[in-house]
Amino acid sequence: MLKNTFKVGVVGCGRIASTFDDDPKRKYISTHIGAYKYIKNTEIIAVCDRSTKKMEECQKKWNIPRGYRNIKKMLKKEKLDILSICTPADTHYAILKEAAKSPLKAVFCEKPLAATARKAKRIVGLYKKKKIILQVDHQRRFDPLHLKIRNIIRGKNLGRAQQVNFYYTAGIENTGSHVFDLLRFLFGDVKWIEAIFSKNSSPKVSDPNIDGILKFKNGVLATFQACDVKRYSIFELNCLLQKGRIVIKDSGFSADFYVTGKNRYFSGYNQLHKTKVPFDISYKRNFMVNAVKHLIKCIRENRQSVSSGTDGLKTLCLIESALYSAEHDGKRITLG
Ligand SMILES: NC(=O)c1ccc[n+]([C@@H]2O[C@H](COP(=O)([O-])OP(=O)(O)OC[C@H]3O[C@@H](n4cnc5c(N)ncnc54)[C@H](O)[C@@H]3O)[C@@H](O)[C@H]2O)c1
C-alpha cells in the first residue's frame, strides 16, 4: 500500500532548484522546490548543497527543516522517497550512482542526464536493475500544448511532415538537449545526423553552437540551427506538413497554426493560411508542476516516465554525435 505523502530531498540549491521562482517575469512555478511545495502529497524534508550559504538560504526561503553539504550524508540520514538532482551536469553521474544505493522510489534528474552518453547508459542500466523510476527534466514532454501538437503531427490529419526546422541558442549540450528531446518526442528515433560548428557563438566555449540535419527513422528530415544568445534567445520549431504548418514559438509558450487554401495572389496554387490554434492555449503554463505530478503518477502506477532515463540517454547520444560530426567536417553519423 503506497503512502499519501512522499518524502522529498533536493540536491543543488541554485536556479532550477529554487531561485528561478524569484524572477518576477516568471508567472508560473519554474523550480523543483516550488513544484513540490505546490503539490499536496509531497513534503520536502531536506536539501543539500556543497555551499553552506546556498543551502541555508534555500532552507530559510522554503522553510525546509534539514540541510546537508554532502549527498551521501543526506541519503543515509533521511528516509527519502524522491530525490531531485539540480546540480551541474558533470556531477549527475556520481550523485545518481550514490542515490541508487538508497531505497528511493524515484529520482527526478535535471537535464542532461549525465556528462557523457557512456555514463548515462550505465545509470539507465543501474536504475532498471534497482527498479528506481528515473525521470529527466525535458519539461515540454509534460506540457499539454506540446502533447496536443504531437497528437496532431502523429494523427496525420495535416498529412506527413515535409520539412522541419529548429532555431535555438546557447549551446548544443545546454539547449540542444531540449531541441533533440523535443524533436524525438514529436518524430521518434533518429537514423542519422550530420553537423557543422555554427559561426554564431555560444556562451560557453566548452558547449559550442552546432548547426545540422537529422534524418528520423520515419523518413522526416529536420534541420537545427543556432543563433547568438547575446542578440536574443530563440527556441522555435517550424513544421511544414502536407496540409498545414505548425510553429512552436516563444520557447514553447505559444504556437501558430496554418492550413492550406486557395492562393490569394496566383491562380492554380494553394498557400498556407493562418488559422486559430485548434485547442485552448490560454491555460496557465506549469511545466514543473506537471512534471512532478507525472512522477507521482508513475510511482503510484509503477511505470516509467514519459521522459525516461532512456530518453535522456538518446538525447545525449545525439549531442555527442552532433559534436563528433562537426569535428569531422559534417561526417554522417548513424545512430544505433
Ligand atoms: N530544464 C531546464 O530548462 C533547465 C534550466 C536551467 C538549468 N537546468 C539544469 O539544471 C542543472 C543545474 O543548473 P542551475 O542553473 O540550477 O545551476 P546553479 O549553478 O544555479 O545551481 C547548482 C547548485 O548545485 C550546487 N552543487 C554543485 N555541485 C554539487 C554537489 N556535488 N553536491 C551538492 N551541491 C552541488 C552548487 O553549489 C549550486 O548551488 C543543470 O544540469 C542544468 O542543465 C535545466
Side-chain angles (χ1 to χ4, degrees), residues 228-294:
D228 184 346
V229 76
K230 287 199 291 298
R231 308 285 170 187
Y232 48 81
S233 65
I234 189 165
F235 186 88
E236 189 171 296
L237 175 136
N238 193 343
C239 177
L240 296 157
L241 297 137
Q242 286 170 312
K243 296 184 219 167
R245 171 186 181 193
I246 302 173
V247 184
I248 303 180
K249 56 182 197 174
D250 300 332
S251 297
F253 279 85
S254 66
D256 286 337
F257 268 72
Y258 298 77
V259 288
T260 49
K262 289 261 176 295
N263 195 301
R264 286 193 197 107
Y265 312 103
F266 312 108
S267 301
Y269 291 98
N270 280 342
Q271 73 173 98
L272 289 163
H273 296 277
K274 200 165 176 183
T275 177
K276 206 172 155 286
V277 178
F279 49 84
D280 179 27
I281 56 168
S282 63
Y283 67 92
K284 200 165 173 250
R285 310 310 289 280
N286 237 334
F287 297 97
M288 199 62 95
V289 169
N290 292 347
V292 171
K293 281 186 178 165
H294 179 75

